[in-house]
Amino acid sequence: MRKDAIKRFLPFFFKYKGMLILTLISMVLSSVTSAVIPLIIKNVIDTLISKKSFTSIRLLLIIFSILVVANIVFKLVQIYVGNLTGQKIMMDIRLYMFDKLTMFKLESFSREPSGKIITRITNDVEDMNELLNSGIVSLFADIIFIVLAICFLIYINPLLALIILIPLPVAVVLSLHLGNIIENIYEKVRDAVTKMNIHMQEVLTGLHIVQLFNIERTSISKFESYSNDFKNNFYRSQIMNVTLRQVINISSYISTVLLILVGGIFTIRGRGTIGTIISFSSYLSYLYGPLGDLSDKFSILQNAVASMVKIDGFLKDNEIEENYEEGEKPEIEGNIKLEHVYFSYDEDSEVLNDVNINIKKGESVAIVGFTGAGKTTIANLIFDFYDPQSGFVKVDGHDLKTLSKKHYRKNLGIVLQNVFIFKGSVFDNISLGDNFSEEEVANVCKNLGIYDYIEKLPKGVYSELTTEGKNISMGERQLISFARALIHNPKILILDEATSAIDSHTEELIEKGTKILMEGRTSIAIAHRLSTIKSVNRIYVLNKGRIVEEGTHTELLEKKGLYYEFYKSQYK
């Protein structure tokens, strides 16, 4: 599973292999120059003590200055290029994930909490960014640093090096052991963060329900439980981190004491120099400093791989719509046919049972029925959001499964009962990013009779709307959705009429807008308004997932069947 996850994301890194190679080269050169500097300092001190002349160390000082400048330059290049590369890679991964997300089957979003989805795109991708900047590059640099430090210690004085490095193996073993413990705790910390994100998103989305039913205390208690898990595990991780640091510090102190005692004895007996002790002291800081970070780097590495696995699993678990870009792209005329369609959202309950509907180009039909009859499900099948378990949904004789979804949906106009308004201007919400002019938007609004209403807004069509359009009324949101549908001039219109009570003027505008929208195009209305039901060519009456009656308003009333009962209960 890890191999599959890594394989999925490797191409994103290989895309910037030139920048990655430059980062690695800069990192290696930075480590080498850092490791050579203490050796130069040793030679400067020993030469100065023995010859007692600054002229004798002039060349060494020049070399030292060059190394310091080179080290700074290499370090800056490593940090700048590394961070830039990391952000480029992460941006590509985020765009890739968001692109995949928009092509998920709709059922994925009923299965996955949106808080979890947001965590995958933000937190988990950021963990992968840490892999590059604080993980694998720094880990590689630290390993090179440690190896070079040990090599130079042995090169300068092998016996003294072996003596002062006695605590090192113990420090390495304990670091790796404690690092694994810390990683397990961090996994629990990440899980707690995901749970908090999911709960916060749910509460904020349904805040009106929380307040209406007075369940604030319950919501707070649940969040408090998740926060408590986070606090306890984070506290444990910090305790273990401090313990790890102290293990490294104690080992470093022991090595320093051994250096002072044994190095002093060696110097007195002529088997070492003052320069040797000073350079050894520098190398010990070079050695134990990165060693203390190694567990953090391993943790970041494991964390990043775990995030890769989570993202890979998330993408695998949620199917992408087939034929989103590919598939047939015929000219859409608007003939719609449902043939012996059976559908259920799960195995336990059948929603549609042997549904047959035939709508010719330019016809308008209404689907009526009591709540739960399956009206919206038929619309979802025509949207091509779901595939039937058996039977066919055809447009102009083509099975929807064979059509390019992107091409097909360009020919659909949708007015939903619960209109979604994006954060942005009225213009943005009508045009939806397509290249329409202000004049075209204004003409559509005039045709619908809503131009005067929009002009009364503070900035007209450029007035800002909040997410979900909470700063305008339900009726006003409906009017914007009418303009949104009309400006895109669809061949097929699906209208899920709102049941909410609205004022008489808005009701009049919506009735007018409905007639304009349905004129001259194939129209399917999940109808609640009597005016819409009376004006259509044909009505389908749905009951418990079956079409039980069809005909015009007058014909169905004369039959005195289910439609007659529906009419009496709704409109009498």
Side-chain angles (χ1 to χ4, degrees), residues 493-509:
L493 173 72
I494 300 174
L495 174 67
D496 188 356
E497 290 187 329
T499 55
S500 308
I502 50 179
D503 63 83
S504 57
H505 177 62
T506 306
E507 175 80 32
E508 188 180 320
L509 288 174

Side-chain angles (χ1 to χ4, degrees), residues 415-417 419 474-482 498 510:
V415 178
L416 296 175
Q417 186 174 153
V419 181
M474 177 67 187
E476 290 165 339
R477 293 200 289 272
Q478 280 281 320
L479 294 172
I480 287 173
S481 74
F482 275 48
I510 286 175

